PDB file of all heavy atoms in Angstrom:
ATOM      1  N   ILE D  71      -9.955 -17.705  23.011  1.00 95.00           N
ATOM      2  CA  ILE D  71     -10.424 -18.127  24.328  1.00 95.00           C
ATOM      3  C   ILE D  71      -9.406 -19.009  25.032  1.00 95.00           C
ATOM      4  O   ILE D  71      -9.679 -19.576  26.083  1.00 95.00           O
ATOM      5  CB  ILE D  71     -11.792 -18.837  24.259  1.00 95.00           C
ATOM      6  CG1 ILE D  71     -11.692 -20.097  23.415  1.00 95.00           C
ATOM      7  CG2 ILE D  71     -12.873 -17.911  23.719  1.00 95.00           C
ATOM      8  CD1 ILE D  71     -12.976 -20.881  23.410  1.00 95.00           C
ATOM      9  N   ASP D  72      -8.230 -19.111  24.415  1.00 94.00           N
ATOM     10  CA  ASP D  72      -7.115 -19.793  25.062  1.00 94.00           C
ATOM     11  C   ASP D  72      -7.409 -21.249  25.418  1.00 94.00           C
ATOM     12  O   ASP D  72      -7.181 -21.687  26.531  1.00 94.00           O
ATOM     13  CB  ASP D  72      -6.702 -18.997  26.312  1.00 94.00           C
ATOM     14  CG  ASP D  72      -5.259 -19.276  26.691  1.00 94.00           C
ATOM     15  OD1 ASP D  72      -4.515 -19.779  25.817  1.00 94.00           O
ATOM     16  OD2 ASP D  72      -4.877 -19.030  27.850  1.00 94.00           O
ATOM     17  N   LEU D  73      -7.930 -21.966  24.429  1.00 93.00           N
ATOM     18  CA  LEU D  73      -8.151 -23.403  24.582  1.00 93.00           C
ATOM     19  C   LEU D  73      -7.297 -24.114  23.538  1.00 93.00           C
ATOM     20  O   LEU D  73      -7.119 -23.593  22.443  1.00 93.00           O
ATOM     21  CB  LEU D  73      -9.611 -23.751  24.278  1.00 93.00           C
ATOM     22  CG  LEU D  73     -10.659 -23.797  25.376  1.00 93.00           C
ATOM     23  CD1 LEU D  73     -11.954 -24.360  24.807  1.00 93.00           C
ATOM     24  CD2 LEU D  73     -10.199 -24.623  26.569  1.00 93.00           C
ATOM     25  N   PRO D  74      -6.775 -25.290  23.861  1.00 91.00           N
ATOM     26  CA  PRO D  74      -6.022 -26.024  22.836  1.00 91.00           C
ATOM     27  C   PRO D  74      -6.906 -26.316  21.627  1.00 91.00           C
ATOM     28  O   PRO D  74      -8.117 -26.498  21.756  1.00 91.00           O
ATOM     29  CB  PRO D  74      -5.624 -27.318  23.540  1.00 91.00           C
ATOM     30  CG  PRO D  74      -5.710 -27.020  24.989  1.00 91.00           C
ATOM     31  CD  PRO D  74      -6.790 -25.990  25.137  1.00 91.00           C
ATOM     32  N   LEU D  75      -6.269 -26.363  20.472  1.00 91.00           N
ATOM     33  CA  LEU D  75      -6.982 -26.565  19.222  1.00 91.00           C
ATOM     34  C   LEU D  75      -7.819 -27.840  19.205  1.00 91.00           C
ATOM     35  O   LEU D  75      -8.967 -27.842  18.766  1.00 91.00           O
ATOM     36  CB  LEU D  75      -5.945 -26.597  18.087  1.00 91.00           C
ATOM     37  CG  LEU D  75      -6.424 -26.520  16.660  1.00 91.00           C
ATOM     38  CD1 LEU D  75      -7.296 -25.303  16.426  1.00 91.00           C
ATOM     39  CD2 LEU D  75      -5.210 -26.477  15.735  1.00 91.00           C
ATOM     40  N   GLY D  76      -7.245 -28.933  19.710  1.00 88.00           N
ATOM     41  CA  GLY D  76      -7.950 -30.216  19.662  1.00 88.00           C
ATOM     42  C   GLY D  76      -9.252 -30.194  20.444  1.00 88.00           C
ATOM     43  O   GLY D  76     -10.286 -30.672  19.971  1.00 88.00           O
ATOM     44  N   ILE D  77      -9.209 -29.619  21.618  1.00 90.00           N
ATOM     45  CA  ILE D  77     -10.403 -29.551  22.457  1.00 90.00           C
ATOM     46  C   ILE D  77     -11.433 -28.616  21.830  1.00 90.00           C
ATOM     47  O   ILE D  77     -12.630 -28.909  21.806  1.00 90.00           O
ATOM     48  CB  ILE D  77     -10.018 -29.090  23.885  1.00 90.00           C
ATOM     49  CG1 ILE D  77      -9.267 -30.231  24.577  1.00 90.00           C
ATOM     50  CG2 ILE D  77     -11.245 -28.679  24.684  1.00 90.00           C
ATOM     51  CD1 ILE D  77      -8.585 -29.848  25.861  1.00 90.00           C
ATOM     52  N   THR D  78     -10.953 -27.515  21.286  1.00 93.00           N
ATOM     53  CA  THR D  78     -11.852 -26.577  20.623  1.00 93.00           C
ATOM     54  C   THR D  78     -12.602 -27.277  19.495  1.00 93.00           C
ATOM     55  O   THR D  78     -13.817 -27.132  19.343  1.00 93.00           O
ATOM     56  CB  THR D  78     -11.056 -25.384  20.052  1.00 93.00           C
ATOM     57  OG1 THR D  78     -10.305 -24.791  21.106  1.00 93.00           O
ATOM     58  CG2 THR D  78     -11.979 -24.341  19.456  1.00 93.00           C
ATOM     59  N   ARG D  79     -11.876 -28.075  18.731  1.00 93.00           N
ATOM     60  CA  ARG D  79     -12.496 -28.784  17.615  1.00 93.00           C
ATOM     61  C   ARG D  79     -13.589 -29.732  18.060  1.00 93.00           C
ATOM     62  O   ARG D  79     -14.667 -29.783  17.471  1.00 93.00           O
ATOM     63  CB  ARG D  79     -11.440 -29.627  16.916  1.00 93.00           C
ATOM     64  CG  ARG D  79     -10.816 -28.933  15.793  1.00 93.00           C
ATOM     65  CD  ARG D  79     -10.003 -29.969  15.081  1.00 93.00           C
ATOM     66  NE  ARG D  79      -9.467 -29.394  13.893  1.00 93.00           N
ATOM     67  CZ  ARG D  79      -8.211 -29.559  13.507  1.00 93.00           C
ATOM     68  NH1 ARG D  79      -7.393 -30.290  14.210  1.00 93.00           N
ATOM     69  NH2 ARG D  79      -7.798 -28.992  12.414  1.00 93.00           N
ATOM     70  N   VAL D  80     -13.290 -30.497  19.101  1.00 92.00           N
ATOM     71  CA  VAL D  80     -14.274 -31.468  19.598  1.00 92.00           C
ATOM     72  C   VAL D  80     -15.536 -30.732  20.063  1.00 92.00           C
ATOM     73  O   VAL D  80     -16.659 -31.123  19.757  1.00 92.00           O
ATOM     74  CB  VAL D  80     -13.673 -32.317  20.741  1.00 92.00           C
ATOM     75  CG1 VAL D  80     -14.748 -33.151  21.421  1.00 92.00           C
ATOM     76  CG2 VAL D  80     -12.565 -33.200  20.199  1.00 92.00           C
ATOM     77  N   LEU D  81     -15.305 -29.641  20.779  1.00 93.00           N
ATOM     78  CA  LEU D  81     -16.452 -28.884  21.282  1.00 93.00           C
ATOM     79  C   LEU D  81     -17.232 -28.211  20.173  1.00 93.00           C
ATOM     80  O   LEU D  81     -18.461 -28.168  20.200  1.00 93.00           O
ATOM     81  CB  LEU D  81     -15.960 -27.833  22.290  1.00 93.00           C
ATOM     82  CG  LEU D  81     -15.569 -28.409  23.641  1.00 93.00           C
ATOM     83  CD1 LEU D  81     -14.818 -27.380  24.467  1.00 93.00           C
ATOM     84  CD2 LEU D  81     -16.811 -28.874  24.389  1.00 93.00           C
ATOM     85  N   VAL D  82     -16.526 -27.697  19.183  1.00 95.00           N
ATOM     86  CA  VAL D  82     -17.215 -27.071  18.052  1.00 95.00           C
ATOM     87  C   VAL D  82     -18.060 -28.118  17.333  1.00 95.00           C
ATOM     88  O   VAL D  82     -19.223 -27.880  16.997  1.00 95.00           O
ATOM     89  CB  VAL D  82     -16.217 -26.393  17.081  1.00 95.00           C
ATOM     90  CG1 VAL D  82     -16.892 -26.052  15.753  1.00 95.00           C
ATOM     91  CG2 VAL D  82     -15.644 -25.122  17.705  1.00 95.00           C
ATOM     92  N   ALA D  83     -17.498 -29.308  17.136  1.00 94.00           N
ATOM     93  CA  ALA D  83     -18.250 -30.381  16.471  1.00 94.00           C
ATOM     94  C   ALA D  83     -19.537 -30.672  17.232  1.00 94.00           C
ATOM     95  O   ALA D  83     -20.613 -30.812  16.647  1.00 94.00           O
ATOM     96  CB  ALA D  83     -17.394 -31.639  16.374  1.00 94.00           C
ATOM     97  N   ASP D  84     -19.419 -30.713  18.541  1.00 92.00           N
ATOM     98  CA  ASP D  84     -20.589 -30.938  19.392  1.00 92.00           C
ATOM     99  C   ASP D  84     -21.628 -29.831  19.238  1.00 92.00           C
ATOM    100  O   ASP D  84     -22.819 -30.087  19.140  1.00 92.00           O
ATOM    101  CB  ASP D  84     -20.145 -30.947  20.856  1.00 92.00           C
ATOM    102  CG  ASP D  84     -20.074 -32.356  21.393  1.00 92.00           C
ATOM    103  OD1 ASP D  84     -20.530 -33.276  20.688  1.00 92.00           O
ATOM    104  OD2 ASP D  84     -19.565 -32.526  22.510  1.00 92.00           O
ATOM    105  N   LEU D  85     -21.120 -28.606  19.242  1.00 95.00           N
ATOM    106  CA  LEU D  85     -22.026 -27.458  19.176  1.00 95.00           C
ATOM    107  C   LEU D  85     -22.695 -27.343  17.803  1.00 95.00           C
ATOM    108  O   LEU D  85     -23.791 -26.812  17.686  1.00 95.00           O
ATOM    109  CB  LEU D  85     -21.269 -26.165  19.518  1.00 95.00           C
ATOM    110  CG  LEU D  85     -20.860 -26.041  20.997  1.00 95.00           C
ATOM    111  CD1 LEU D  85     -19.862 -24.901  21.195  1.00 95.00           C
ATOM    112  CD2 LEU D  85     -22.087 -25.824  21.868  1.00 95.00           C
ATOM    113  N   VAL D  86     -22.026 -27.850  16.798  1.00 95.00           N
ATOM    114  CA  VAL D  86     -22.638 -27.887  15.463  1.00 95.00           C
ATOM    115  C   VAL D  86     -23.763 -28.914  15.464  1.00 95.00           C
ATOM    116  O   VAL D  86     -24.876 -28.648  15.009  1.00 95.00           O
ATOM    117  CB  VAL D  86     -21.588 -28.220  14.376  1.00 95.00           C
ATOM    118  CG1 VAL D  86     -22.260 -28.526  13.038  1.00 95.00           C
ATOM    119  CG2 VAL D  86     -20.602 -27.062  14.210  1.00 95.00           C
TER     120      VAL D  86
END
Side-chain angles (χ1 to χ4, degrees):
Chain D
I71 62 175
D72 204 18
L73 268 188
L75 192 55
I77 289 168
T78 305
R79 267 190 174 135
V80 170
L81 285 168
V82 166
D84 257 351
L85 290 168
V86 169

